[in-house]
Amino acid sequence: MTYIPKPRIDLPTDRINAIGLRQRDYEGVLSTLCAGCGHDSITAAIVQAFWELAIEPHQVAKLSGIGCSSKTPAYFISGAHGFNSVHGRMPSVATGALAGNRDLTCIAVSGDGDSLSIGFGQFGHVVRRNLNMLYIIENNGVYGLTKGQFSASADPGSKAKKGQVNQMQAIDPVATAIALGGSFAARGFSGDRDQLVPLIKAGVRHRGCAVIDVVSPCVTFNDHEGSTKSYAYTRKMSHKAVEADLVPPAEEITVSYADGDAVRVRLHDGSTVLLRKNDPAYDPTDRSTALQYLEKHRARGEVVTGLMFLDETLPEMHDVFGTTSAPLAETGYEALVPGKEALAKLQKKMR
Amino acid sequence: MPDQPSASATQSRINDFVLKIGTVNGTGSASANGLLMKALFRMGVPVTGKNLFPSNIQGLPTWYEIRANRDGYMAREGRVDVMVAMNAQTYGKDLAEVTPGGFFIYDSTWPREKTLSRDDVTVLGVPLAKLCNEHFSVARVRILMKNIAYVGVLCALLDIDRAIVKQLLEETFAAKPKLVDSNLEAINLGWDYAQANFTCPLPVRAEAMGDNSKHILIDGNSAAALGCVFAGATVGAWYPITPSTSLMDGFQGYCEKFRKDPDTGENRFCIVQAEDELAAAGMVLGANWVGARAFTPTSGPGISLMSEFIGFAYYAEIPSVFFDVQRVGPSTGMPTRTQQCDVLLCAYASHGDTRHPLLLPADPRECFEFAVAAFDLADRLQTPVFVLSDLDIGMNDWMIPELEWDDRYRPDRGKLVGPKELADMEKFFRYLDRDGDGIAARTLPGQDAKGAYFVRGSGHNRYGGYTEDSAEYQDVVDRLMVKWRTAAGLVPAAKLRPADQPTRVGIIAYGSSDGAVNEALDRLNEEGLGLDYLRIRAFPFGEEVRAFLDSHDTVFVVEQNRDAQLRSLLLVELGASNEQLVPLLHYNGMPIPSRCVEDAVRAHLDEEVAA
Ligand SMILES: Cc1ncc(C[n+]2csc(CCOP(=O)(O)OP(=O)(O)O)c2C)c(N)n1
Ligand code: SF4
Ligand SMILES: [Mg+2]
């Protein structure tokens, strides 16, 4: 199997990116989450990814629902407008925001409670709509903010802190997104930033709804022995299926791969996602094999990670609607109002 | 000759009658009824049509009530002069409803039950099905043409101009001339039969009068949709619900017509059919947050679902426009019947201390005007604004003066600061009231990092930061009350119709009750009972409402709900007294008739005198 060495990411924090910004320019206010909470590591990965992508902070719209996870947009990109919405309903706000201004780079953070219980409907529909956004689910198997109740992503057999064992089936957001016709579905682990940062970058650049489920242990309520969302369990049972790298348009891909080892997917902005597979039989561009693969490994108790499915050809919401390329919010009133004469003419038919 | 009408049985009513047609829904009667209504309109007769329909797609009874009135009264009156009973199921009920001296027309193809007769009503049988079956060969055509044939019968009986009917058919079927011919054949079938068998016209009839060319026929939902287009709304989010659906259908239609980029054919609008009303509300907030004017049309059940987001928009101060086309509640209630039952729901929608401006249009013209006003107010006040119409206004065709537009209009986007203004500021704080009107300036995403802030429904201080500090929290919600008082001076003022003589008796109404109240007041006035009438057009109430209450001892409050909801608002918000405000309520789901108002006022005042 061919292998390209990962870029070293221990960049000095005062280095500037392509638009002259430092990593700290992508940070937000100080986190108030528990020390060691997985969500904070994801925040750090987001900061790094956006810095590397050199996106203008004011071009970013960051949204969330309600939960510990949903607090995190306050902790990154303080130069971006943020919208901490109501529980489970961030996807609709994102839909409206992008309906009004399609030029915004939209990143949304949600939790497993936020997206898989109260917001399961909105999650499903934003995937179906293929809204051009990055949708991160910080998945800890519990409701952190309301003190540790099981969430819908808790695995059967997983044990709560106080000992009860979950007996209901788990909802897997990755499999769900693929099954719902999603265009981008990935899973990461908050404890593996090397893997997560490229996933986030690919998700931002993907044109459509990029869902990234990130296993993100709740150190306070769900990091004990017997939990399937703990650091220890995830490390042990993690199965990396595909590594993804985002190659910007300018950079040629020079390394060659043996057939079956890598898949390249060209994104709309000209960059390429390079999918390096650990299992040659796996095809992340085929919906049904992706689902089969997930199911096979789930049955073994494994946590499959990587960019599990990608289809760059699906139309995003505005393609379907035929909306103008200029953001509606920036369209001048003169181009919107029919005027007095048109009204008079229209009313001739109402007699 | 069967059932020959006798002219002496009734007094003559020219351009002053109610025609009611009972059919089965799904049989295509809507076009026949529309044809009648438009023909009367073109004859210059003031006319309105009320569609009384079931919540069902096919097979249930449905009625259409046309009122022609030379004085321009638009409300339901409470009488039926001519009934066309096309639905065998409802013959009995329909016959019972005819006002003494009136006429009852039915399809005599099948024998009529003996019990269905009244001495004080002239019954006219026309074998419509037989006529159509003999004349047309295709089954579906026969059913449709039966409806058109009764138009022919009515043209003869009511003296409706057949030339106008022909012209209307030609306009409607300009693209399919063959249909004009078959429709005209059906009209003539009915016309010829009536001429041959009855004395035409009846004493109840139409006559060409005035000039309606400065008026239009339009329903409130279409008018509101036009208002949204003219206000510059670009994003619409919705979940289908009667009776609001045609508002978004209208918006879509007008956008297709007026909002296509002439060069690319691309849409300068974005309509999202949401997964539910919770999502529709979220979409409206998201779009308004980024600076696009966005709205959602819905009805009571939708408002219930949207409530959490409505409170969010109130507290986080996001402009948003909600159209509630009210229908009968509670719960699913009667979805195709009308009420004004969401006044309290909308006024205080959502948990916590919340309050929202309501605009209360009385007719489609105000639906148009208030739609535009709603967007301006929402942007100016940075808050959810409700336009509360109802099924009667929203879905029925009203005759109104032509809509007008001033090309100098520019949207009031309120206090928006962009990169230019930000450059002059040391720092931007989202919730800082610099002008004392309770309204802080906002910025839009995508413009400038200096203006970035975090919208949240959780506790925040005047700078936009998260807070759990009591004083900081209270500071913000107290400012929201300052803003509320600003709103009272910005919303459409109530309209006063003073009595001829000074009086201490007043009447308050709003929305679709206006027509019934005006007509009732004319009648009462003829009897020497003069009342001052104040039509409330918005909440919060302006000073003029308080002044009206202060200057009247007895004030009737006319509403189409059981619980006297606006009266409650007057009691709570203005401290009116219980004894002063007399509830005058009509809530059976049918639009309020003028007679109901007239009778109730008379009865109450008589009682007062007697007491
Ligand atoms: C309508 C509503 N119901 C309930 C709550 C209470 N609540 C707050 S956060 C939360 C669960 C959050 O779980 P999750 O999305 O998994 O976030 P985490 O805290 O685990 O990151 C609940 C039930 C709420 N805020 N709103
Ligand atoms: S409760 Fe759990 S999810 Fe919430 S901040 Fe603490 S560790 Fe994180
Ligand atoms: Mg959780």
Side-chain angles (χ1 to χ4, degrees), chain A residues 7-343:
Chain A
R8 291 170 57 83
I9 339 183
D10 54 337
L11 303 153
T13 47
D14 59 346
R15 263 185 56 189
I16 55 166
N17 65 8
I19 55 168
L21 296 179
R22 288 162 218 282
Q23 198 152 315
R24 64 169 175 274
D25 295 322
Y26 291 85
E27 288 170 358
V29 301
L30 212 60
S31 168
T32 58
L33 303 182
C34 308
C37 174
H39 301 349
D40 278 335
S41 311
I42 301 171
T43 298
I46 291 170
V47 168
Q48 185 182 331
F50 276 76
W51 177 79
E52 286 179 11
L53 287 170
I55 293 173
E56 290 279 5
H58 74 266
Q59 274 302 330
V60 178
K62 45 181 194 175
L63 296 96
S64 62
I66 295 288
C68 296
S69 35
S70 291
K71 288 182 177 185
T72 61
Y75 313 145
F76 59 82
I77 323 183
S78 54
H81 277 250
F83 198 121
N84 180 201
S85 70
V86 296
H87 197 16
R89 274 152 285 167
M90 164 278 291
S92 60
V93 179
T95 302
L98 288 178
N101 187 345
R102 59 184 299 175
D103 280 358
L104 293 169
T105 298
C106 179
I107 170 170
V109 178
S110 177
D112 43 328
D114 200 59
S115 281
L116 305 181
S117 287
I118 192 167
F120 198 40
Q122 296 218 347
F123 166 64
H125 282 274
V126 82
V127 166
R128 171 177 172 264
R129 221 175 271 132
N130 202 23
L131 192 72
N132 188 13
M133 71 183 292
L134 170 62
Y135 190 137
I136 294 178
I137 298 174
E138 303 187 347
N139 192 344
N140 52 17
V142 288
Y143 295 181
L145 195 58
T146 53
K147 297 190 179 285
Q149 302 82 1
F150 277 129
S151 80
S153 74
D155 295 302
S158 186
K159 206 189 257 178
K161 206 174 178 186
K162 285 181 185 155
Q164 42 324 9
V165 174
N166 174 52
Q167 307 206 29
M168 273 185 276
Q169 295 303 306
I171 297 176
D172 174 2
V174 176
T176 306
I178 298 172
L180 287 173
S183 57
F184 181 117
R187 180 155 30 238
F189 171 39
S190 67
D192 187 348
R193 201 200 289 195
D194 289 354
Q195 182 194 37
L196 185 54
V197 170
L199 285 178
I200 293 173
K201 287 164 69 177
V204 170
R205 288 292 178 232
H206 168 65
R207 192 161 180 273
C209 188
V211 174
I212 308 181
D213 174 44
V214 187
V215 179
S216 175
C218 168
V219 290
T220 306
F221 297 111
N222 205 15
D223 195 32
H224 45 268
E225 175 113 26
S227 159
T228 61
K229 291 279 191 292
S230 66
Y231 280 112
Y233 183 91
T234 313
R235 284 221 173 84
K236 181 161 164 245
M237 299 305 285
S238 164
H239 171 88
K240 283 191 190 178
V242 238
E243 308 276 346
D245 291 304
L246 182 75
V247 187
E251 289 175 30
E252 277 299 303
I253 306 165
T254 47
V255 193
S256 61
Y257 296 90
D259 259 5
D261 279 355
V263 178
R264 293 169 202 197
V265 177
R266 178 64 69 118
L267 301 186
H268 280 80
D269 72 346
S271 52
T272 304
V273 172
L274 193 61
L275 299 159
R276 288 177 285 116
K277 306 181 294 178
N278 294 332
D279 180 347
Y282 180 55
D283 181 0
T285 62
D286 182 78
R287 205 176 286 279
S288 64
T289 56
L291 282 169
Q292 272 172 24
Y293 192 86
L294 282 169
E295 180 53 24
K296 192 171 86 190
H297 291 273
R298 188 197 63 80
R300 293 184 198 154
E302 288 173 346
V303 184
V304 181
T305 60
L307 210 177
M308 302 309 298
F309 179 74
L310 176 59
D311 181 351
E312 189 70 6
T313 65
L314 290 176
E316 65 113 350
M317 182 182 80
H318 284 297
D319 298 334
V320 176
F321 290 164
T323 324
T324 49
S325 45
L328 290 172
E330 288 164 17
T331 305
Y333 177 66
E334 290 69 21
L336 300 175
V337 67
K340 187 184 172 82
E341 238 171 77
L343 182 63

Side-chain angles (χ1 to χ4, degrees), chain A residues 29 56-64 66 70-102 104 106 118-119 121-126 128-129 317-318 320-326 328-351, chain B residues 38 41-42 168 171 212-218 222 226 229-235 254 257-259 261 264-276 278-293 305 308-309 312 318 368 401-407 409-411 413 443-458 466:
Chain A
V29 301
E56 290 279 5
H58 74 266
Q59 274 302 330
V60 178
K62 45 181 194 175
L63 296 96
S64 62
I66 295 288
S70 291
K71 288 182 177 185
T72 61
Y75 313 145
F76 59 82
I77 323 183
S78 54
H81 277 250
F83 198 121
N84 180 201
S85 70
V86 296
H87 197 16
R89 274 152 285 167
M90 164 278 291
S92 60
V93 179
T95 302
L98 288 178
N101 187 345
R102 59 184 299 175
L104 293 169
C106 179
I118 192 167
Q122 296 218 347
F123 166 64
H125 282 274
V126 82
R128 171 177 172 264
R129 221 175 271 132
M317 182 182 80
H318 284 297
V320 176
F321 290 164
T323 324
T324 49
S325 45
L328 290 172
E330 288 164 17
T331 305
Y333 177 66
E334 290 69 21
L336 300 175
V337 67
K340 187 184 172 82
E341 238 171 77
L343 182 63
K345 200 169 152 218
L346 181 75
Q347 292 184 93
K348 290 215 171 83
K349 300 214 176 75
M350 298 178 179
R351 291 193 189 108
Chain B
K38 266 208 164 163
F41 174 84
R42 292 229 180 143
L168 284 166
E171 289 170 22
N212 276 341
S213 66
K214 284 276 163 277
H215 286 73
I216 56 166
L217 288 175
I218 190 171
S222 300
L226 262 178
V229 173
F230 276 74
T234 50
V235 176
Y254 294 131
K257 194 174 169 67
F258 296 122
R259 289 277 190 79
D261 186 304
T264 63
E266 288 171 342
N267 296 334
R268 290 178 182 151
F269 63 94
C270 183
I271 297 171
V272 190
Q273 185 182 322
E275 54 270 36
D276 53 37
L278 291 81
M283 291 171 193
V284 170
L285 268 56
N288 276 293
W289 171 53
V290 303
R293 285 193 153 182
L305 285 182
E308 193 181 7
F309 261 135
F312 184 100
I318 301 172
F368 175 74
E402 253 190 342
L403 304 175
E404 282 161 12
W405 187 250
D406 183 347
D407 279 333
Y409 167 86
R410 285 296 171 275
R413 301 308 311 265
T443 52
L444 299 179
Q447 295 194 346
D448 194 330
K450 201 174 174 185
Y453 68 98
F454 200 53
V455 181
R456 47 163 67 89
S458 46
Y466 178 85

